[in-house]
Amino acid sequence: MRPVTLTTERLLLRPFRPSDASAVHAACQDPDIPRWTSVPSPYTVRDAEHFTGAFSPQGWRADTDLSFAVLTRDTNVLVGAVGLVRLERLRTPERQAELGYWTVREHRGKGYTSEAAAAVVRWAFRDLGVERLEWRAEAGNHGSWAVARRTGFHREGTLRGELVRAGTRRDVWIGSLLPSDLPDLDAPSGEPATRTPYLPYGE
């Protein structure tokens, strides 16, 4: 995948760069980020340098992790991260991926993550041909669910004991978003995108 840049009214979304390491390290000192995500704890400068300088660029090259740094357009400040993970079914008939994100503590409550997530969702559906996006979070992560709900996701249920964290199995909330959930979504040409027909149960 060739790295891309997305813009919204307030935000610039671009692939992470090595120069982002200090901002990522500072953000991940917030205990809520390792508590609810898969980032290491404690989160070291070396972790940040590896993520921004190696893991993220390799993810774009290999289509395994398409992560964006979310920056304010006016001040160029890092306010979070959003991206697509679990991409092993992106090029299969399932055409599926998972949306993930985190927000810098000082910038929560401003709608930045929902704004960034909406941009990535539309890019995934329109340009990557994704036909089902999943959202997952440890049960009880109400902040993550609030973003997913505003983005249009439908919460489908709870996966019992699906997550192992610190030697303990934990429940996971799961939700989905389909292109048909966004009725104004068109292909870049303005023509309706060609997608696998969907036959909901009972119809």
Side-chain angles (χ1 to χ4, degrees):
M1 173 69 62
R2 178 177 296 176
V4 302
T5 297
L6 306 175
T7 57
T8 69
E9 181 180 354
R10 299 183 295 169
L11 303 171
L12 170 70
L13 284 66
R14 58 155 175 79
F16 281 94
R17 302 169 180 167
S19 58
D20 297 318
S22 61
V24 170
H25 174 255
C28 291
Q29 300 314 296
D30 169 19
D32 282 343
I33 293 180
R35 167 64 184 89
W36 295 111
T37 73
S38 60
V39 304
S41 179
Y43 195 82
T44 67
V45 171
R46 193 169 188 175
D47 290 324
E49 290 173 345
H50 173 73
F51 174 73
T52 59
F55 180 84
S56 185
Q58 176 59 25
W60 280 92
R61 287 192 294 268
D63 282 0
T64 55
D65 184 289
L66 308 181
S67 295
F68 293 91
V70 181
L71 308 162
T72 55
R73 292 179 63 177
D74 55 350
T75 60
N76 204 41
V77 169
L78 181 76
V79 298
V82 63
L84 300 178
V85 298
R86 297 182 191 255
L87 294 169
E88 61 272 9
R89 290 194 283 176
L90 178 61
R91 307 301 181 195
T92 67
E94 286 79 12
R95 306 292 298 171
Q96 186 168 302
E98 180 181 326
L99 183 73
Y101 41 80
W102 52 259
T103 312
V104 176
R105 176 187 288 275
E106 292 78 12
H107 298 288
R108 292 175 192 156
K110 301 176 183 179
Y112 287 144
T113 307
S114 298
E115 187 174 326
V120 172
V121 161
R122 291 182 174 273
W123 170 69
F125 285 152
R126 292 178 49 154
D127 295 356
L128 300 186
V130 172
E131 295 188 354
R132 173 182 162 90
L133 272 176
E134 286 191 347
W135 159 85
R136 298 184 186 211
E138 183 180 332
N141 190 344
H142 296 282
S144 181
W145 169 237
V147 171
R149 185 182 63 247
R150 286 194 292 269
T151 308
F153 281 83
H154 297 255
R155 200 159 90 192
E156 297 174 327
T158 300
L159 304 176
R160 297 188 305 148
E162 199 265 351
L163 174 67
V164 177
R165 186 189 297 277
T168 302
R169 287 199 173 274
R170 300 167 187 258
D171 293 342
V172 167
W173 286 337
I174 185 170
S176 70
L177 184 66
L178 306 178
S180 56
D181 295 325
L182 303 175
D184 61 338
L185 182 71
D186 289 325
S189 65
E191 297 297 325
T194 300
R195 301 186 180 97
T196 308
Y198 171 41
L199 182 63
Y201 176 74
E203 296 187 14

